[in-house]
Amino acid sequence: MRAILLDQPGEAAGLLRVAELPAPVAGRGELVVAVACCGCNFADTMMRRGTYPHPKQYPLVPGFEIAGRVTAVGAGVDGFAVGDRVAGYAESGGGFAAFCAVAADAAVRLPDSVSFETAAAFLIQAQTAWHLLHTVSAVRPGEVVLIHAIGGGVGLYLTQLAVQAGAVVVGTVGTAGKERRALDYGASLVVNRAEADFVDEIGRFLNGRGVDRIYDSTGATILDRSFTLLRPLGQIVSFGEAEGRPLDNLWARLVEKSATFTRFHLGHLDFAAQAWRDGLRLTLAAVADGTLRVPVERVFSFEQAEQMYECLESRTVSGKLLLAVNPTATDSRS
């Protein structure tokens, strides 16, 4: 089968290439899916650079977020059949390929109204946002939440879901123009960190009121400065380190306000647990009825994988990038 293979971490030409590999076989509890589309996530770029915090063995096929048709069903799997249209979270990667094995518990059958492109664009980021808000924290009506990188994929889902939960949303971006979608999705204020001091701007906007929760994928100095805005007994939920790991003074920062610091990785959830099933059911239903918008920025052909990575790493993207693995595949929803 055709696959995008990453031979080893690095950015030299040729490390990310089209290769022919054996197709996967459905193991116990697994599905094999003929991939129509696969989502590109920041984690894919981290694996390319060798900075992904959850170790992977190289060479590897990137891609965690797939949509397509089931071609094989492993032993012990109920509720799926060959031919089903599905989306799935391939926790071990392998999505940038013609076929991908995925745990059945991490897959969901798609309603007729949801296309493969939409399905490949929502699952990981919307699930991450859902569990950031409702599993590792519990956002409440009237709370103020600060979302860093609010114009990115997870940030846009966090914005929509937090607003729907009754929270007031403020956020920051690092690139001009990325604030537009977040404001359209219900954010009350978005500060471009390249143009203004976000601590000053948000502090003025809130008139001295402390932020209840901070959702951070940046780390380093941005995270460190955010503690100034946090109320006593507030919570920070970390889910990435785009700028760098938290600074060494993290303990001192937490002690200052008796703050709570939580780190979240979607792959640490139990896919057989009710919390996973609830999040998947509710977000998919919201996507299907249009109450949760899925921002697809651009779709790349299979041969354009390198360009897709470069586009995501440019930090100018506000929405999802997709790899069209098999664009001629039938997406009949009849």
Side-chain angles (χ1 to χ4, degrees):
M1 68 170 185
R2 284 198 319 164
I4 302 296
L5 189 68
L6 178 60
D7 287 308
Q8 63 187 53
E11 298 186 26
L15 293 179
L16 193 70
R17 59 187 176 88
V18 179
E20 284 291 330
L21 299 175
V25 175
R28 184 171 186 82
E30 290 185 331
L31 307 173
V32 172
V33 177
V35 180
C37 294
C38 188
C40 185
N41 293 280
F42 193 70
D44 293 304
T45 69
M46 296 177 74
M47 285 193 296
R48 185 187 187 189
R49 294 194 303 269
T51 60
Y52 190 58
H54 310 285
K56 299 292 181 183
Q57 297 295 315
Y58 297 83
L60 58 80
V61 176
F64 297 103
E65 193 171 24
I66 64 168
R69 286 192 179 274
V70 175
T71 60
V73 178
V77 174
D78 296 317
F80 294 94
V82 171
D84 282 350
R85 300 174 65 254
V86 298
Y89 171 33
E91 185 185 1
S92 298
F96 294 169
F99 297 92
C100 180
V102 61
D105 284 342
V108 62
R109 292 178 63 187
L110 297 174
D112 291 345
S113 60
V114 177
S115 70
F116 285 148
E117 284 191 5
T118 298
F122 98 94
L123 195 147
I124 286 180
Q125 292 178 339
Q127 284 301 285
T128 298
W130 173 267
H131 292 288
L132 286 169
L133 292 167
H134 299 294
T135 300
V136 296
S137 70
V139 67
R140 297 180 179 88
E143 288 188 335
V144 176
V145 302
L146 165 59
I147 302 168
H148 288 305
I150 195 172
V154 176
L156 292 173
Y157 287 112
L158 278 169
T159 301
Q160 294 180 80
L161 293 170
V163 169
Q164 290 171 14
V168 175
V169 173
V170 297
T172 75
V173 296
T175 306
K178 292 187 72 172
E179 70 278 1
R180 288 193 290 268
R181 262 201 177 118
L183 292 168
D184 184 45
Y185 287 1
S188 297
L189 173 74
V190 179
V191 179
N192 180 354
R193 297 188 303 273
E195 297 177 350
D197 186 305
F198 76 88
V199 173
D200 289 345
E201 293 293 319
I202 292 173
R204 257 193 307 273
F205 179 78
L206 296 177
N207 197 27
R209 185 203 192 283
V211 170
D212 296 284
R213 303 181 197 278
I214 298 173
Y215 297 93
D216 177 61
S217 60
T218 61
T221 62
I222 298 170
L223 168 62
D224 185 59
R225 298 199 66 230
S226 299
F227 278 93
T228 303
L229 294 167
L230 191 67
R231 68 164 172 83
L233 304 180
Q235 182 181 20
I236 290 182
V237 186
S238 165
F239 61 102
E241 295 83 26
E243 189 194 7
R245 292 183 179 179
L247 303 184
D248 291 341
N249 65 347
L250 179 60
W251 179 86
R253 286 297 207 181
L254 294 172
V255 168
E256 286 173 358
K257 294 183 177 179
S258 295
T260 300
F261 184 85
T262 304
R263 183 62 168 85
F264 178 68
H265 170 56
L266 189 65
H268 290 154
L269 288 173
D270 179 359
F271 299 136
Q274 191 64 44
W276 170 263
R277 292 195 295 269
D278 286 347
L280 197 53
R281 172 179 55 82
L282 292 166
T283 54
L284 180 57
V287 168
D289 68 19
T291 55
L292 187 62
R293 289 185 274 180
V294 179
V296 175
E297 183 86 357
R298 186 174 170 187
V299 180
F300 292 81
S301 71
F302 199 72
E303 290 74 21
Q304 292 177 312
E306 186 86 30
Q307 293 167 251
M308 179 177 67
Y309 273 70
E310 291 172 0
C311 185
L312 187 58
E313 290 176 327
S314 73
R315 307 291 179 90
T316 61
V317 177
S318 183
K320 192 72 172 186
L321 302 183
L322 297 177
L323 188 69
V325 179
N326 186 5
T328 61
T330 296
D331 189 14
S332 171
R333 283 162 262 175
S334 59

